[in-house]
Structures are given as structure tokens and as C-alpha cells.
Amino acid sequence: MTHWWRATWAMASLSICEIGRQKTWIVLLAVIAVMLVALASLQAVDASAQLKLSVVTISGSINFISTLFAILLVAATITRDREQLVSLTLFPKPLPMSAYVCGRWLGVQIAIAIGVLILNTLGTLVVHLTADHAIPEMRTVHKPVDWQRVDIFGETSPLDTKRVTLTGTKKGGAIRWDLAKLPTNQGDLVLLLKGRLRAIDPAHYQSHIAVSARPSESAQQTLLVCSDESPYGSFRPDGKPVESGATMKDKGDNHVDLNQDYMRFRLAQELISPEGTCIITVTRNDINSSLSFKKFDSCLIALSGGGFFTNMQRGGCVVLAQVGYLTAIALLCACFSNIGVTLLAGLTAFFGALTLSYIQDMTGSGKLPNFLVRFLELMQFIIPDFNRYGVEGTLAGGQAVGWPIVMDAWFYYGTFSLSFLLIAWFVMLRREL
Amino acid sequence: MAQAAVIQIKGLSKTYADFWGRARVEALKPLDLEIQEGEIFGLLGPNGSGKTTTIKLLLGLLNATNGDAFMFGQDPGNQDAKRRVGYLPEETYLYKFLNAEETLSFYGKLFGLDKTTLDTRIDALIKQVGLDHARKRRLGEYSKGMARRLGLAQALINDPDLVILDEPTSGLDPIGTAEVKDLIVDLKQRGKTVLLCSHLLADVEDVCDRLAILHNGQLKACGRVDELLMSEDRTVVEIKAGEESQLDAVKAAAGEALINVDHPRERLESYFRRIVAPQQDVTKQENEA
Ligand SMILES: Nc1ncnc2c1ncn2[C@@H]1O[C@H](COP(=O)(O)OP(=O)(O)OP(=O)(O)O)[C@@H](O)[C@H]1O
Ligand SMILES: [Mg+2]
């Protein structure tokens, strides 16, 4: 076993050396230059949108470039082993085929990881320099466990839908969210709230609500006021500050930026029970508009999610998981075909993975012939979905990319990678030199 | 001392097939061969006679169509057997982006050699193959002969018990060729086994204990070099000193000056031509037809 590791590591360091000594650095520099130029020419309506745009562009292009790079590198290195017949000096040595396959894969993976690390560091720097704002704050969110409807007399009734709308001609209808397992050692927490708003009259595009909290069922309600950093909610449409409660704006499903789209309230530590529970009640105080909320997305507790840089790097880990899949595919192709075919197959897998979610939407439309639907359904066992984690969107929305996401991504893409590596190993075992 | 067979080949044959599995070339017809420990064995044959194919089958780089091959009593491709083998392919295929030291260090690591052993061995091998002046240069800049020399060093990095050399002198200068010959003799003195493929018959004749001649994938001759080259229809009389004209007198006299009456040796070259020539004509005719 130790010999296997040594051989694998020898192969991996060879790959890293090979990649390092190629002229690929020039391409990398060119990419950075293009990125900077592109960023300088991007114009958004305001500073916060500009920041968001920079984050999306930078992390998006880093992801795109590194995945493409991986395909190119594998195609170049492995096919060369075969075409330049280096394998004739390689395989008479005690080099297990599995160590060769794993070592090659690992080497490319490490080389890309180094590249992603460098690019992400530069990317953070660029975001810092181009945005007038400071580096965006990153948050992880804590979602409620349950919710109930509260009628105007204070009677609660369970809700089994994921979305509910408060409407009617009487004030006072409310929603209560139950939160559990909140951290009790972090002092005051931040409550985030948003909702969709519908009104007939433009004068009521903002709606008055009351937000209150209590640690448990039996405790006294405390009315919350918007905190100073809240992007909206503290002022009435006429510009005067609200005396009590808050004014809500229409924020639909597309508004997911934790920094921009949610009202913020300070949730004092007294309002959280020692067990970490808290009950939040939102009451509708304006009969001219209807409010609708979602069970898990409208009322959140924001916790600090670490710095932008670390989140960017964790996002890089998710990208690496995707790269691992592409590396494995390209490695498999390189085992039996030339550099051109390998590149083509790698690119096909890449764009297939990018468009998989759209293809799946299409299969659900019922407009395609049956055999095509079956075929496309089968595709998802070969091609993973690269939009599954949407790292750049997450980062731009101020949301942290936590380790659980990274683990989940490695498990998801890792299954695909492992399958293709196994096939590659099998193919290599059968192959003659 | 009973010698152990390092290489055992039993009825080994190889037919190259195309992509669809249809037989294309019968490169090796069933072959039986045994190479003993400490022997220098020459494998000869014209181009395309199946020498490289035999070696690749031994190393497990090709899958045999029929028959068995064993190295150190193990199947081809066995990792333990591979640890004791050094192989120089017929052309030098090495990574162009590495320099001489890195190349040897990489191959050494595949054998799991520790750093101190590796460092001393790399140093010794680079000096032995005469590349001391170019040890830091990338192989992409090497000349053909320089790469060949490094290929030879690469084959010896694990101090192998069995060295398989496929045309080791191709591309080497006369000094290099002589050095390779010395190296082979040195290996024999250290008790190693050598399997040598070469087209330089004079060299094979000089260093090999036994040899086999393949032609069109068929074994045409196999045996000790001395025995194969013995001409039994003639007799040579060696005399201490004297001239041709005196030979009869010397013979008749058969006095004390007569030291040795023995079968003279044929040159390997003429022997090789004799073995190979008639069939070559046959192939030629076949091709023309
Ligand atoms: N990959 C291959 N596919 C098909 N036929 C092959 C392949 N490799 C070798 N052959 C054929 O097998 C036969 C033996 O080839 P081999 O390379 O063993 O010859 P050789 O004795 O090493 O010749 P040389 O002295 O030129 O090196 C030849 O007829 C050759 O055409
Ligand atoms: Mg050959």
C-alpha cells in the first residue's frame, strides 16, 4: 500500500511538473488581463450592483477558465504518454495501473487547485480595488423549522404549504415562524425578513408591518425595529421614519441577495431561549396590499459566514469537484484516443453539464418524443449538473459557501469522477502498448 | 551449481489483431526459450522478425495470443518481477520536460528507492553513461545518442537482476558502443542476466554466451555461441610461428611445435546470413507475387 502511494505521488508530482513547465502561464496571465479589462468596462446602476456584478464575473470566469484548463491539461499530458510512447519506459516499472490513473488525476487536480487559489486571490484583490464598497460581508443563514398562521383574534392554525399570502380587508393577520437550535453564545443575532407584496394602488407599494419576537410560547412579545444597516424598512414612503414596526417592499423569488433584499432586525439575546428557540411573528398592518411569504426563504437568521476570501476559496473547492469530473472524463478518453478527440469529448461533457438543468426542464415540457425524453433522462447518470451549487450566484448574494456545501459537491461530483476513473483503469489494464 | 531459469517461454505466440479483432500479422509463432541466471543471451533476427514483440510479451506490455511467459517464475506484468528488471526500449522514449537527474529520480521513485540510495545511484549512473556535463539539461535538448545513454541509465536505476536491452547501441558513437559492450560484460561479472537484441553481430558474438535467431516470428537457431559457430567439416592447425608454406612440413613433422588441432570458428556474420538468407528470398518472391 505504501508503495502504491509512493508511485501515485511520483505520477502526481510528475504531472504537476509537466503542467508547470508548459507555456500555460502565458494563457493564465492573458486570462487575468482580460478579466481586468472586462471588469473595468462593466457598468451597473449603483455601487452595490457593481459589486455584485464584479463578484459574479470574477468568480464565474475563474470557474469557467479552470474547468476548461483541466480538460486541456489532461488531453495534453495523457495522450502524450501514449503517442510519444513514454509508456514503454513507464509500464515495465513496478507502477500499478491504478497508481498511474490516480496519480495523473491527482496531479492535474493539484495543479488546477494551485491555479484556482492564485486566481481567487487575485479575484478578491480585483473586487477590492474595483468596488467602492468594501469587500462584501458573507453570511450563512439559519432557516426556520416550522410556521403557522395567526388570525386576527390570535388563534393559530398549522400551515402545510410552502407559501402563504396574507390578504383581506382587516388588519392584524399574522404569520409566526418557529426557530430552533439557534446559537446561544454569540450575543445578539440578526433577523432577515422579506416578502412579496401586491397592491392595486402605487401609493401602497410599501406596506406597514409589525415584527415581534419572544423566546418561547409563554413569554411576552417584544416589538422589533429595523437596525441601522437595514437596506430598507425604517422609512415610510413619504420619507418620514416609522415610529413602530417597519415598511416592507416587494421582494420576489429573484431577490436573494442577503445584503440588499432583506430587512434587518436586531434580535437581542434575551429573545432567544437558553435552548436556542425563538418565535417570530410578522403582522400585516396595511389593508391596501397583500403580503406573501415563503416558509424557508422569507424569515432567516443571519450568522457570520467568514471572510469573502475564505468563501471564495471554498467556492473554489466546489469548482475543483467539478474539475475532478472533467479530468476523469478526459483521462478516460485520453486512454484510447488522440488529443483532438479527448478535447472534443471533454468539452462536450463540460457544456453538457452546464446545460443539463435546461435539458431536464425540456424533458418535463411534454413536447419531446418519448424516446428522446428517455435518452435525456439517461444522460443524467453520465453527466452531472454544473448549475447545482451556483457558487458565483451564492457569493454575489452575500451568502457563504460553507463546508457542508463543499462536502456535498465532492460527494455528488466525486461519484461521477470515481466511476470514470474506474472505467479508465479498466481500459488501461486491457490496453496493449 | 544448478542455474535457475530467469526467463521461461513456453509455446508463446502473438498475432496482432486490428480494431475489430481480425488477425492481421502473425508476429510470433509458438516459441520455446529459456534463459538461465547469469547468462548473456543474444536475440537476433532481421527487421520485423518478432524480437521486440517477444520482449513486450515478456514484460506484459502485450497480451499473448497463446502460450506462457515467466520472468523469475512470475507471470508477465507481475509487480514483484518488474522490480528486478531493467528495460531499454528500442527507441528512447522519455519525458522531454525533465532533465537527466529528474528523469532518473522519477523512475527511481517508481521503484520506491529511498533518497540516499537514489542520489548516489543517479550520480554514479550519470557518470557511467558519460552525461555528467549535461545532467541539468532538459531532455528535449538532447541529441539522439545522449538520450540513448540516458535510456540506458534509466534501465539500470533499480540495479536490476535482469537487464533487457533492445538495440542498445542504436544511435551511439563508436566509443559509446564499446562502452555498452564493457557494461554488459561488467553486468555479467556481477552475476546479472542480460537479454540483448542487436543488429551488430560482431558485438553479439563478442559478449553473448548463448543466442537465438528469429526469422519471420520463428525460432531458426538457438544454442551456445561457440557451438553454433563451430565448423565441423574443417580443421585448423595452429602453429607457434611460421608461414603458410611451412604448413605441410609442420603437419608432416607434427613435432613438438604442434599445439592445437581444433575446429575453426566461423564469423557470426556469415553464419547469420546462412540462416536467414534463403527464407528472405522466399519472402521476397511472395511479396512480388
Ligand atoms: N502494433 C503492431 N500492430 C501490428 N503489427 C505489429 C505491431 N508491432 C509489430 N508488428 C508486426 O510484428 C512483426 C514483428 O515486429 P517486431 O517489432 O517484433 O520486430 P523486430 O524483430 O523487433 O524488428 P526490428 O529489428 O525492426 O526492431 C512485424 O511484422 C511487425 O510488422
Ligand atoms: Mg525491434
Side-chain angles (χ1 to χ4, degrees):
Chain A
M1 202 59 200
T2 51
H3 176 71
W4 189 88
W5 275 111
R6 275 197 210 183
T8 307
W9 182 243
M11 250 1 267
S13 34
L14 180 89
S15 309
I16 297 169
C17 175
E18 182 168 11
I19 290 164
R21 288 184 184 179
Q22 277 170 0
K23 309 273 179 297
T24 42
W25 294 112
I26 300 167
V27 183
L28 210 68
L29 284 176
V31 169
I32 294 166
V34 168
M35 213 158 79
L36 285 170
V37 170
L39 270 172
S41 58
L42 282 175
Q43 287 298 322
V45 278
D46 58 24
S48 73
Q50 180 83 47
L51 181 69
K52 228 156 128 177
L53 201 61
S54 340
V55 174
V56 171
T57 332
I58 289 178
S59 76
S61 49
I62 290 174
N63 299 354
F64 192 77
I65 294 299
S66 43
T67 23
L68 277 184
F69 231 59
I71 302 171
L72 194 80
L73 290 176
V74 181
T77 54
I78 314 258
T79 50
R80 214 178 297 160
D81 277 355
R82 221 168 53 89
E83 284 170 2
Q84 299 183 355
L85 294 172
V86 186
S87 26
L88 281 184
T89 41
L90 209 52
F91 292 118
K93 307 274 186 287
L95 170 67
M97 197 52 87
S98 50
Y100 173 79
V101 172
C102 291
R104 277 302 197 186
W105 183 84
L106 192 68
V108 174
Q109 218 48 24
I110 292 173
I112 296 285
I114 296 171
V116 168
L117 189 79
I118 295 170
L119 281 176
N120 274 342
T121 310
L122 283 170
T124 314
L125 216 68
V126 172
V127 170
H128 216 344
L129 292 176
T130 52
D132 299 335
H133 269 51
I135 295 280
E137 233 178 298
M138 308 308 284
R139 298 194 170 79
T140 55
V141 294
H142 194 97
K143 298 192 174 189
V145 285
D146 198 13
W147 69 343
Q148 289 170 40
R149 184 199 283 273
V150 186
D151 68 16
I152 52 173
F153 304 106
E155 278 301 309
T156 59
S157 53
L159 280 169
D160 45 15
T161 52
K162 292 259 161 64
R163 182 194 286 281
V164 75
T165 303
L166 294 180
T167 181
T169 52
K170 294 266 185 329
K171 282 185 187 181
I175 297 292
R176 75 170 249 197
W177 278 277
D178 295 344
L179 293 155
K181 295 191 188 138
L182 291 174
T184 49
N185 55 353
Q186 289 188 9
D188 297 351
L189 298 178
V190 177
L191 173 73
L192 299 178
L193 188 74
K194 70 153 192 176
R196 210 175 64 192
L197 189 147
R198 289 286 178 269
I200 301 165
D201 177 1
H204 296 283
Y205 280 173
Q206 296 200 8
S207 179
H208 188 250
I209 55 168
V211 182
S212 56
R214 57 195 151 135
S216 63
E217 207 84 45
S218 53
Q220 195 68 34
Q221 299 244 26
T222 306
L223 200 64
L224 302 180
V225 286
C226 277
S227 59
D228 295 341
E229 312 92 63
S230 184
Y232 61 96
S234 327
F235 295 94
R236 292 204 310 238
D238 58 16
K240 300 219 178 81
V242 283
E243 298 88 40
S244 72
T247 46
M248 209 172 91
K249 289 185 183 174
D250 176 35
K251 295 288 179 186
D253 290 351
N254 295 332
H255 295 89
V256 290
D257 186 338
L258 296 184
N259 289 317
Q260 295 302 316
D261 296 328
Y262 286 81
M263 286 187 274
R264 272 184 240 175
F265 301 88
R266 195 175 62 86
L267 196 61
Q269 192 165 21
E270 306 89 75
L271 297 174
I272 300 159
S273 75
E275 295 80 44
T277 61
C278 181
I279 298 168
I280 306 287
T281 313
V282 175
T283 314
R284 170 174 171 260
N285 279 340
D286 187 342
I287 56 165
N288 292 307
S289 48
S290 77
L291 299 177
S292 80
F293 296 103
K294 289 175 86 178
K295 184 173 179 181
F296 294 117
D297 294 330
S298 294
C299 174
L300 305 166
I301 298 292
L303 303 170
S304 168
F308 181 71
F309 180 69
T310 46
N311 277 291
M312 193 90 164
Q313 301 297 10
R314 278 196 292 257
C317 292
V318 175
V319 173
L320 268 184
Q322 299 181 346
V323 168
Y325 154 74
L326 286 175
T327 314
I329 283 245
L331 210 144
L332 171 62
C333 295
C335 289
F336 53 78
S337 63
N338 59 22
I339 187 163
V341 175
T342 307
L343 272 178
L344 201 67
L347 288 178
T348 310
F350 178 50
F351 289 110
L354 277 182
T355 49
L356 187 77
S357 46
Y358 306 109
I359 293 174
Q360 278 171 340
D361 283 351
M362 232 156 62
T363 56
S365 70
K367 285 180 191 143
L368 293 177
N370 226 345
F371 76 91
L372 207 57
V373 173
R374 290 281 165 276
F375 176 73
L376 291 175
E377 277 171 1
L378 280 178
M379 288 300 276
Q380 64 187 352
F381 293 105
I382 308 171
I383 300 178
D385 179 8
F386 273 13
N387 293 317
R388 191 180 167 101
Y389 298 96
V391 173
E392 47 271 26
T394 310
L395 285 173
Q399 204 164 334
V401 178
W403 285 117
I405 295 180
V406 175
M407 303 267 273
D408 193 64
W410 269 94
F411 184 76
Y412 175 67
Y413 297 116
T415 318
F416 286 91
S417 313
L418 197 66
S419 323
F420 283 105
L421 284 181
L422 276 173
I423 302 174
W425 172 67
F426 188 72
V427 168
M428 289 289 280
L429 275 185
R430 305 284 314 151
R431 216 187 58 185
E432 297 196 323
L433 296 169
Chain B
M1 193 183 88
Q3 282 180 319
V6 171
I7 292 178
Q8 259 183 315
I9 295 174
K10 289 179 191 158
L12 191 69
S13 70
K14 175 71 188 176
T15 306
Y16 285 104
D18 66 4
F19 181 79
W20 307 106
R22 292 176 300 195
R24 283 256 300 278
V25 187
E26 200 181 358
L28 194 64
K29 291 166 190 150
L31 173 74
D32 291 287
L33 208 61
E34 241 179 54
I35 300 177
Q36 308 299 328
E37 197 183 323
E39 217 174 20
I40 301 186
F41 192 92
L43 195 57
L44 307 184
N47 293 134
S49 55
K51 306 183 294 293
T52 304
T53 304
T54 310
I55 292 176
K56 284 187 179 174
L57 286 168
L58 265 175
L59 290 168
L61 298 176
L62 293 175
N63 301 324
T65 309
N66 269 313
D68 295 302
F70 301 99
M71 271 194 316
F72 301 104
Q74 312 270 22
D75 283 332
N78 179 287
Q79 301 292 339
D80 292 326
K82 280 182 177 178
R83 281 171 185 280
R84 301 173 63 187
V85 179
Y87 169 54
L88 174 67
E90 58 187 330
E91 273 176 63
T92 327
Y93 310 110
L94 298 166
Y95 288 110
K96 291 191 170 50
F97 58 91
L98 297 177
N99 66 30
E101 283 179 359
E102 289 163 342
T103 303
L104 294 183
S105 153
F106 167 67
Y107 286 116
K109 279 180 198 150
L110 295 183
F111 286 100
L113 298 178
D114 63 87
K115 188 152 170 33
T116 37
T117 323
L118 199 55
D119 284 348
T120 45
R121 212 172 272 176
I122 288 173
D123 201 51
L125 280 172
I126 285 184
K127 286 191 177 126
Q128 190 177 358
V129 297
L131 287 175
D132 206 16
H133 60 287
R135 61 198 297 161
K136 297 275 185 209
R137 281 171 63 188
R138 300 245 173 111
L139 266 56
E141 305 170 1
Y142 269 29
S143 75
K144 185 181 170 195
M146 286 163 83
R148 199 70 191 148
R149 284 163 184 261
L150 192 63
L152 202 60
Q154 162 276 135
L156 301 172
I157 189 71
N158 56 329
D159 191 23
D161 295 328
L162 168 65
V163 186
I164 300 178
L165 303 172
D166 201 345
E167 297 179 34
T169 51
S170 78
L172 288 188
D173 54 30
I175 301 171
T177 311
E179 282 171 357
V180 169
K181 237 157 72 173
D182 293 345
L183 177 88
I184 294 172
V185 173
D186 178 55
L187 286 171
K188 180 187 166 63
Q189 273 161 7
R190 286 166 49 206
K192 313 285 186 189
T193 314
V194 180
L195 173 56
L196 174 69
C197 275
S198 178
H199 294 298
L200 298 180
L201 301 177
D203 297 342
V204 174
E205 186 176 358
D206 287 347
V207 298
C208 287
D209 301 317
R210 286 203 308 145
L211 60 80
I213 298 181
L214 285 176
H215 187 225
N216 285 339
Q218 221 164 2
L219 187 66
K220 290 294 177 187
C222 181
R224 294 199 62 79
V225 177
D226 306 330
E227 288 164 12
L228 288 175
L229 300 184
M230 190 103 74
S231 311
E232 297 185 11
D233 54 346
R234 279 179 293 153
T235 307
V236 154
V237 180
E238 281 184 38
I239 55 172
K240 198 179 200 174
E243 289 170 17
E244 199 87 9
S245 55
Q246 295 174 322
L247 197 59
D248 285 340
V250 173
K251 258 172 147 181
E256 282 170 33
L258 186 66
I259 299 170
N260 184 24
V261 181
D262 196 7
H263 304 290
R265 274 177 59 148
E266 188 185 4
R267 290 297 298 170
L268 177 59
E269 182 158 358
S270 56
Y271 175 75
F272 183 80
R273 280 173 178 277
R274 198 152 51 76
I275 291 282
V276 157
Q279 285 97 337
Q280 260 181 346
D281 289 341
V282 172
T283 4
K284 213 172 165 190
Q285 279 161 15
E286 274 173 0
N287 285 346
E288 277 161 9

